[in-house]
Amino acid sequence: MNTPPSAPAADRTDGSSVRIGALVPLTRPGWVEAGQHLLAGLELAVREVNDGGGIVGRPLELLVRDTAADPQRAAAAVDELAHLGVAALAGEYHSVVARAAAARADTLGLPFLCSSSVLDALTEQPTEWVARLAPAQSHGWRIYADFLLSAGHSRIAVAAEPSVYWASGARILRDYLAPRGGTVVELDMRALVPTAVCDELVDNRATALLLLVGHPEPAVSIVKSVRRDQRLAEIMIGAPAGQPEFAEWATLLGEDGTAIPFLRYLPERLSPLGARVETALRERLAEAPSFVAFEGYDTVAVLADVLRSHGADRARTAASWPRVAVEGTRGQIQFSRTPGISVWQWAWTPVQVVDRDPAQPDRFRILHAG
């Protein structure tokens, strides 16, 4: 591993804080609600670390930067945080933004524990500097494809916007479903308005429509159009990327937003630690915490353990990824080298396919687990 010199402030022993940089989407066009949940988890864990004595007597400090879903803004934030002497980076929700941050962190020799991004190719080349908590997209979306097949869906349409993330998801679904008798038809949302999607679904005899598009728009408009088309009364709408996870979805769509299966990364039953953290997150957020909030908490739990054991030196932090063994809110967290994945990977967090219950939209039904 190439070892750039640590920043002068990174390993002080004079009682100053140990700093972690946090990348979070907090303004549009970022997914603000996801960012708020991620930040709530990060901040809760920092508070608990400090209540427990900090990092060998030094307080843990979070330096938060809003990425607004902008890769260039994220890369600039990484430069700034590195200059400020942070010991490591945490966070980010959007995959294309996390990819830019990971590339810059790799170049600078700054450890980055990515909380939520799932792109398999988080970096172009294998790196020692980056680790990830979220499951790789190929893992989670294959579980989703299994769910589709088990539910009897073999003619699947995807309403897709141009993005590395959406294109990767469509490819994973197509490659997995084709040998198993499934067909994936891609609807280019650059060329279609939501109402025109309905005609395409009828013409292609699709039994399922997957939303590979941004939230709230055009996802919300597509759902409303399909739900109001009597020809499509039997079609299943799905959202593997998790748009229905957050309360805003239910607020905008009401009953129309139920029975739309999506991926989330939680166990069927939380451990005592997970249950305690859920209660604290619910109080902090004034609503049920999403899996993204748990990802934030677990990120700081891992980094705090590493910093206590190995100090705030960046090279020692990056070298410690393969020795991590931390109880997280969703299971024991350990990192390994996984075929096809360029970063240190937790393989794997629990994966569920869930939806909002039409009879009780605030309740989630577990439909499938992998």
Side-chain angles (χ1 to χ4, degrees), residues 113-133:
L113 179 50
C114 183
S115 303
S116 293
S117 167
V118 298
L119 266 179
D120 285 43
L122 191 55
T123 55
E124 292 295 328
Q125 302 295 330
T127 175
E128 302 293 326
W129 294 99
V130 183
R132 171 168 57 192
L133 290 176

Side-chain angles (χ1 to χ4, degrees), residues 7 32 94 125 132 145 160 165 189 225 231 241 247 258 270 287-288 292 340 342:
V32 174
H94 297 284
Q125 302 295 330
R132 171 168 57 192
Y165 174 62
M189 292 311 299
S225 294
R231 300 172 298 172
T258 65
L270 289 168
E287 64 184 17
V292 180
S342 59

Side-chain angles (χ1 to χ4, degrees), residues 250-267:
T251 300
L252 291 171
L253 280 165
E255 187 178 340
D256 283 345
T258 65
I260 296 180
F262 64 94
L263 286 166
R264 72 172 180 179
Y265 309 126
L266 289 175

Side-chain angles (χ1 to χ4, degrees), residues 6 19 25 31 65 133 158 192-193 230 235 255 259 266 291 334-335 340 352 354:
S6 293
R19 292 172 155 189
W31 197 339
R65 295 296 181 268
L133 290 176
V158 297
L192 294 172
V193 296
Q230 293 300 313
I235 201 165
E255 187 178 340
L266 289 175
F291 69 84
Q334 295 179 289
F335 299 113
Q352 301 172 343
V354 305

Side-chain angles (χ1 to χ4, degrees), residues 277-291:
V277 169
E278 180 185 37
T279 299
L281 286 169
R282 186 183 291 270
E283 182 178 333
R284 181 174 282 257
L285 289 162
E287 64 184 17
S290 69
F291 69 84

